[in-house]
Amino acid sequence: MELCFALINTNNIRTMMKELLVFLDKADAEFKSQCSSNMFIAAEMHAPSRRWHLDTMLKVLTTASNHVRDDVMANVIQLISESSSLHGYITRQLWKCLRGHAEDQPLIQVAAWCIGEFGDLLPFQTNDGAEDEPIQVSEDEVIDLFQKILLNNHTTCVTREYVLMALIKLGTRFKDSTARIQRLVGSFASHIDVELQQRSIESSRLFGKYTKLWHELLERMPVIENKHQTAGLPNGDSTNENGSSENHTVLENTRKQPAVVDSQESNALLDLLGGMDPIVTADVSKTNDASQVSSNLDLLDLLGGFGSDVGGPLPNPSSGFLPVRTDPILSPTLNNHNNNNVGTLGGLLIDGFGLQHSSSVQNIMLPITAYENNGLKIVFSFDKPVDNPQMTVITLSASNSSIHPITEFLFQAAVPKTFQLQLLSPSSTTVPPGNSGSISQVIRVVNPNQNQLRMRIKISYVQDGATIQEQSEVNNFPSAMWQQ
């Protein structure tokens, strides 16, 4: 299998992918995850066209079924988001696949996100010959299928979150089914899962008390830009299906412009953690007009949290409802690079940002204890790249002084929307007992307005057979993070 991927190039990508899809269909479960991830990387590097890229990844989702990794799923969502001319096409293709694969969790999550964003495009057909057969989709059919998935005992809680958010967004996209969607979403207000319960209650409050913000808050997300493409490795073709040129962000440009950290992993924490402003990826050099600021202040009242003391321009909060976990959403190559190289930050070049050791800054930014309970201790240490003073790299170190190992460790965080946050994958999800070892995780924070940092964190883990979830706020960050 490794040899096949090493031989793939632009000339043979179509033939090799056909053979690999056959292998993926017949391979043992232990090979499906790795094969599907490698197929995404190969398609991203050598795809002859954007539509071929999307069609191929759709075949991977349906063939690998529940063995598709989270990073592949999230990268497919990013690919769909930036393929503006194909939104209607891929939404209809996902709908067709969803009807026959209603138990494939990765496919359901991608389809739910896509239909939630572009569900109003489902009834429309194109005349360019891109689709083999026309489809007739009614609003009730979509809601019926989503209701069936929500009530299926095999559906995971994460998948239910995607479907529930898709229904909430469809409440603004479907014209004749708003009341039915509100009833269906409201039925989860007493669900045993806290995340689903919180989403249901928030949406009910939104539909009832804040109707003037309804359409604005649930409008389509802005394009999720791929900020980690490397020079010479374009994502798909250099021209789109209509023959017009498509611009691709390359890594070399990050040295000429202020570094911006991808914050899509943290967008969902608005719902997940509560009490926070929505986090969006925005160009901090742009300012909003007075009406936009006023609207966002209304949102602060709706969502609660840090309130109006958060300085700087208030970005459009439309993307605050994408239910994305802090599982890795970057390309596998990037995640492996960071996991294998973030022991000490001094002298490293990470993701093209040129992070280097600065002894003068590090002496000022002393480590802090962010959390300590049940034997679990989480310490933040800090470093600033010399060439990017707006960024702070926080290295999380988790140790366990109890006699029981900690497993399924998951750290999540949210910051005010004037910041931009990126969580990389932890080095492990198991913290050994007796302080016999520790795990680390890198957090990148960009602070373009030099405001004081406050962070809401949520920690979950399993210890001695018990699942523990706790939330806390960290507000004792060293002042050198925002003072220059």
Side-chain angles (χ1 to χ4, degrees):
M1 183 175 68
E2 296 297 332
L3 178 61
C4 289
F5 285 109
L7 294 174
I8 292 178
N9 56 46
T10 305
N11 296 325
N12 63 15
I13 181 70
R14 292 179 184 269
T15 303
M16 294 295 288
M17 281 297 183
K18 289 180 181 179
E19 298 298 327
L20 286 168
L21 283 169
V22 174
F23 170 78
L24 184 63
D25 184 39
K26 299 179 180 179
D28 294 334
E30 59 187 287
F31 296 110
K32 287 181 180 285
S33 295
Q34 183 63 40
C35 184
S36 59
S37 294
N38 288 343
M39 290 180 73
F40 178 84
I41 296 173
E44 188 175 37
M45 294 171 62
H46 305 294
S49 70
R50 184 59 61 90
R51 192 172 72 209
W52 180 91
H53 192 178
L54 289 168
D55 287 339
T56 300
M57 294 318 301
L58 186 55
K59 293 175 183 177
V60 171
L61 288 173
T62 55
T63 304
S65 186
N66 290 320
H67 301 286
V68 176
R69 293 174 176 171
D70 289 343
D71 60 325
V72 174
M73 181 201 73
N75 275 291
V76 172
I77 290 178
Q78 180 272 323
L79 177 65
I80 294 172
S81 175
E82 68 179 10
S83 304
S84 303
S85 61
L86 296 172
H87 284 164
Y89 168 76
I90 192 59
T91 302
R92 289 185 287 272
Q93 296 304 309
L94 282 166
W95 168 255
K96 293 177 183 177
C97 293
L98 189 60
R99 289 185 297 183
H101 299 266
E103 293 189 358
D104 293 352
Q105 305 301 307
L107 175 65
I108 296 174
Q109 292 174 23
V110 173
W113 182 90
C114 192
I115 293 173
E117 290 296 318
F118 314 114
D120 52 323
L121 302 179
L122 266 176
F124 298 99
Q125 301 297 317
T126 58
N127 298 320
D128 58 3
E131 301 177 57
D132 297 330
E133 57 184 34
I135 59 172
Q136 297 294 331
V137 184
S138 67
E139 296 179 2
D140 287 335
E141 285 182 272
V142 177
I143 299 173
D144 287 342
L145 181 56
F146 279 174
Q147 183 175 13
K148 178 181 177 182
I149 293 172
L150 286 171
L151 300 179
N152 190 329
N153 292 331
H154 298 288
T155 303
T156 66
C157 287
V158 174
T159 301
R160 286 193 176 100
E161 291 170 17
Y162 274 83
V163 174
L164 202 64
M165 275 314 311
L167 283 170
I168 293 172
K169 286 203 166 188
L170 288 176
T172 65
R173 289 151 176 71
F174 286 174
K175 299 179 180 179
D176 304 321
S177 305
T178 302
R180 183 184 175 188
I181 289 174
Q182 291 180 8
R183 289 195 301 270
L184 180 56
V185 173
S187 66
F188 285 83
S190 58
H191 195 274
I192 190 172
D193 183 79
V194 177
E195 310 299 343
L196 293 172
Q197 183 183 125
Q198 182 174 344
R199 279 173 167 76
S200 175
I201 294 173
E202 287 176 346
S203 62
S204 297
R205 187 179 179 188
L206 174 66
F207 292 148
K209 186 177 179 181
Y210 295 91
T211 53
K212 64 179 181 179
L213 300 174
W214 185 7
H215 289 275
E216 181 182 356
L217 185 61
L218 298 178
E219 66 182 5
R220 289 181 184 172
M221 290 179 58
V223 174
I224 306 172
E225 296 181 359
N226 187 355
K227 299 183 182 301
H228 301 282
Q229 294 174 351
T230 55
L233 301 178
N235 184 354
D237 54 357
S238 58
T239 59
N240 60 22
E241 294 302 318
N242 299 322
S244 60
S245 174
E246 293 189 5
N247 295 323
H248 299 281
T249 305
V250 293
L251 189 59
E252 62 185 11
N253 288 337
T254 63
R255 296 192 178 275
K256 301 177 182 179
Q257 302 173 357
V260 179
V261 177
D262 195 347
S263 64
Q264 58 185 350
E265 285 188 82
S266 300
N267 287 342
L269 293 176
L270 163 67
D271 299 322
L272 189 63
L273 301 180
M276 302 291 294
D277 292 329
I279 304 167
V280 296
T281 302
D283 184 349
V284 297
S285 64
K286 297 179 180 179
T287 57
N288 298 321
D289 56 26
S291 61
Q292 181 65 42
V293 172
S294 174
S295 175
N296 280 289
L297 291 177
D298 290 336
L299 289 176
L300 294 176
D301 180 62
L302 165 64
L303 301 172
F306 288 148
S308 59
D309 61 332
V310 178
L314 300 175
N316 191 314
S318 59
S319 62
F321 279 91
L322 173 62
V324 181
R325 295 282 193 181
T326 56
D327 300 326
I329 67 167
L330 305 177
S331 67
T333 303
L334 177 63
N335 278 329
N336 290 336
H337 169 80
N338 287 325
N339 287 339
N340 293 335
N341 291 280
V342 289
T344 61
L345 293 175
L348 290 179
L349 297 179
I350 298 180
D351 191 27
F353 288 113
L355 304 184
Q356 299 179 1
H357 181 72
S358 175
S359 58
S360 61
V361 174
Q362 192 165 10
N363 289 336
I364 300 175
M365 297 193 300
L366 298 176
I368 64 172
T369 299
Y371 172 88
E372 188 170 8
N373 196 18
N374 299 321
L376 176 63
K377 182 177 182 180
I378 296 177
V379 176
F380 286 170
S381 57
F382 309 93
D383 195 8
K384 268 186 175 292
V386 176
D387 59 347
N388 186 9
Q390 294 183 352
M391 177 186 290
T392 301
V393 178
I394 304 173
T395 301
L396 176 156
S397 179
S399 58
N400 176 19
S401 61
S402 70
I403 61 174
H404 303 289
I406 290 176
T407 60
E408 300 182 27
F409 175 81
L410 177 64
F411 175 86
Q412 298 168 298
V415 294
K417 56 192 170 186
T418 53
F419 296 83
Q420 293 171 352
L421 175 72
Q422 182 187 42
L423 296 175
L424 302 186
S425 302
S427 58
S428 175
T429 58
T430 300
V431 188
N435 287 327
S436 58
S438 63
I439 65 174
S440 62
Q441 185 171 5
V442 173
I443 308 167
R444 296 176 184 166
V445 179
V446 172
N447 184 4
N449 297 326
Q450 301 301 312
N451 293 326
Q452 181 176 353
L453 175 62
R454 288 175 290 174
M455 181 181 294
R456 183 71 58 83
I457 64 175
K458 180 176 181 179
I459 304 160
S460 63
Y461 53 91
V462 176
Q463 186 179 45
D464 194 21
T467 300
I468 301 173
Q469 292 187 356
E470 295 189 350
Q471 298 183 28
S472 178
E473 182 172 327
V474 183
N475 54 18
N476 60 331
F477 289 98
S479 60
M481 291 182 62
W482 59 85
Q483 293 178 357
Q484 299 183 14

